[in-house]
Amino acid sequence: MANNMNNRDAEYRFYSTDDAVDEFYREVIEGLGRHQRSIPPKYFYDSKGALLFETICEQPEYYPTITELAILRENAGEIAASVGAGRVLIEPGCGSCDKVRLLLDAMQPHVYVPVDISCAQLQVAAANIAEDFEWLEVHAVCADITDGMEIPELNGNAGRLVFYPGSSIGNFEPDDAVAFLALLAKTAGQGGHLLVGIDLEKDHAILNAAYNDANGVTAEFNLNVLQRINRELDADFDIDAFSHRAFYNEAASRIEMHLVSTCRQSVRIDGHTFDFGAGDTIHTENSYKYSDASFRRLALAAGLEPVECWTDADGLFGLHLLEVAGQ
Ligand code: AVJ
């Protein structure tokens, strides 16, 4: 892999594929030039955004995190028994690496490979895991997982488990989710497993509240992407002239997040000018919700066989174990 690998720390290895700034610039200019303006949600996660997301996970309205943690806590033994010990455990978009802690003790993998776009957060999280799980080999990879993952050659034959919790798969359009699951299946290899967290369809009031928390953290998270563009791309967004909007789009089974221009205004980004009318929006995120059946269809389309599915008593969230089908 084209990277700089450094042994920053004796306890874990760090790999980085570093061409992020150009891509950020290109995708922002392209997205804001569209009829429905948009910015890909992966750009939420600069270091401030990564912290804000951690705070979202602590808001009482944001049920996915605590619910999934409870499912993991309750079923770690069963998951470990299904997957087996001594595996290579890969976690794309690992964020703070908190959830995986519940799997590590039960599963006793040989190697843990956290992968994330937010390098600063990844270094801290990986170092903490290495410190707390001394028996575990940790190889952290800083990369944009939507570009495809280059996982270092590790422990050749050990079976792999790809852990993709949090309902991050919900950020993809359903067709793209199939393609991404197929990529994860390829990463896991034949006979390998995926453990995927899915936010389930439910009462709209619960969904709408989860993305409109009373403390305004989700609003701050959403607006931070404009601040990031100002900081990194020489832009002059007036943050006070945009507001947060999130709502459940029932026809599409998704939460949509937008930033709404509250007045007529122009924004300059490095020589490009973008004109906004009052009420124009920038679409910043989709978060698709599935049923067990609709997610299973995606998994099958990606060449994965459903092995087992765990959920909470209220049916808020699902955790699916899938196996990479043989040919
Ligand atoms: C990280 C994509 C799973 O969609 O719920 C949380 C991101 N955005 N609040 C989600 C998010 C606003 C989150 N995912």
Side-chain angles (χ1 to χ4, degrees):
M1 87 207 267
N3 62 29
N4 50 55
M5 179 187 138
N6 44 1
N7 266 316
R8 319 183 77 258
D9 224 316
E11 303 102 42
Y12 78 100
R13 287 176 200 212
F14 188 78
Y15 310 76
S16 162
T17 45
D18 212 357
D19 52 7
V21 177
D22 284 357
E23 201 172 326
F24 182 36
Y25 178 80
R26 262 187 289 110
E27 290 200 79
V28 165
I29 298 296
E30 198 219 298
L32 292 181
R34 295 199 185 149
H35 178 63
Q36 168 60 69
R37 296 180 170 84
S38 63
I39 300 170
K42 64 187 178 188
Y43 294 119
F44 283 135
Y45 303 93
D46 66 348
S47 36
K48 182 161 174 222
L51 276 174
L52 284 167
F53 181 67
E54 296 305 304
T55 312
I56 286 176
C57 294
E58 291 161 7
Q59 299 309 301
E61 298 93 338
Y62 195 74
Y63 61 84
T65 311
I66 29 168
T67 309
E68 189 177 37
L69 281 168
I71 297 171
L72 277 167
R73 208 171 285 124
E74 185 127 328
N75 302 289
E78 221 174 298
I79 295 165
S82 302
V83 174
R87 304 301 183 211
V88 173
L89 172 50
I90 300 167
E91 185 177 3
C94 59
S96 60
C97 301
D98 279 339
K99 290 172 187 165
V100 76
R101 289 170 176 268
L102 295 173
L103 277 181
L104 291 173
D105 280 322
M107 225 187 100
Q108 296 281 311
H110 180 66
V111 185
Y112 173 52
V113 185
V115 186
D116 206 275
I117 195 168
S118 187
C119 290
Q121 184 191 30
L122 176 64
Q123 291 192 8
V124 174
N128 287 338
I129 294 283
E131 199 178 305
D132 295 345
F133 298 86
E134 280 174 14
W135 47 268
L136 182 67
E137 217 179 282
V138 179
H139 294 256
V141 179
C142 180
D144 175 354
I145 59 175
T146 61
D147 289 343
M149 261 163 303
E150 290 184 69
I151 302 299
E153 276 305 315
L154 300 165
N155 200 35
N157 298 323
R160 291 175 166 192
L161 170 67
V162 175
F163 181 43
Y164 197 51
S167 198
S168 301
I169 194 75
N171 270 168
F172 293 95
E173 295 300 309
D175 285 351
D176 296 336
V178 171
F180 189 68
L181 287 170
L183 182 88
L184 296 184
K186 204 175 146 210
T187 303
Q190 218 188 88
H193 290 90
L194 267 58
L195 184 62
V196 183
I198 295 299
D199 195 12
L200 297 170
E201 288 160 349
K202 59 181 63 65
D203 185 341
H204 302 179
I206 297 175
L207 287 167
N208 284 317
Y211 293 82
N212 290 284
D213 63 278
N215 290 326
V217 184
T218 307
E220 210 187 320
F221 173 74
N222 197 6
L223 286 159
N224 176 60
V225 76
L226 300 184
Q227 270 163 345
R228 179 181 184 182
I229 293 170
N230 282 353
R231 279 192 295 267
E232 295 181 26
L233 301 181
D234 190 24
D236 66 354
F237 274 105
D238 176 3
I239 309 302
D240 296 334
F242 286 86
S243 63
H244 167 74
R245 179 185 292 161
F247 60 91
Y248 188 60
N249 174 339
E250 185 177 7
S253 287
R254 69 188 191 204
I255 286 281
E256 290 185 19
M257 291 216 310
H258 295 258
L259 290 162
V260 187
S261 173
T262 57
C263 60
R264 221 176 121 183
Q265 58 182 321
S266 294
V267 175
R268 295 186 61 83
I269 307 179
D270 181 48
H272 301 261
T273 303
F274 300 94
D275 297 319
F276 291 84
D280 287 355
T281 80
I282 305 171
H283 189 179
T284 50
E285 184 168 47
N286 285 325
S287 185
Y288 279 87
K289 311 305 171 188
Y290 292 98
S291 63
D292 280 347
S294 65
F295 179 68
R296 231 172 242 132
R297 279 196 292 277
L298 287 194
L300 287 167
L304 289 156
E305 273 163 20
V307 176
E308 200 146 2
C309 170
W310 296 273
T311 185
D312 55 292
D314 299 320
L316 297 175
F317 201 90
L319 195 60
H320 285 252
L321 183 66
L322 311 161
E323 188 170 335
V324 182
Q327 58 252 103

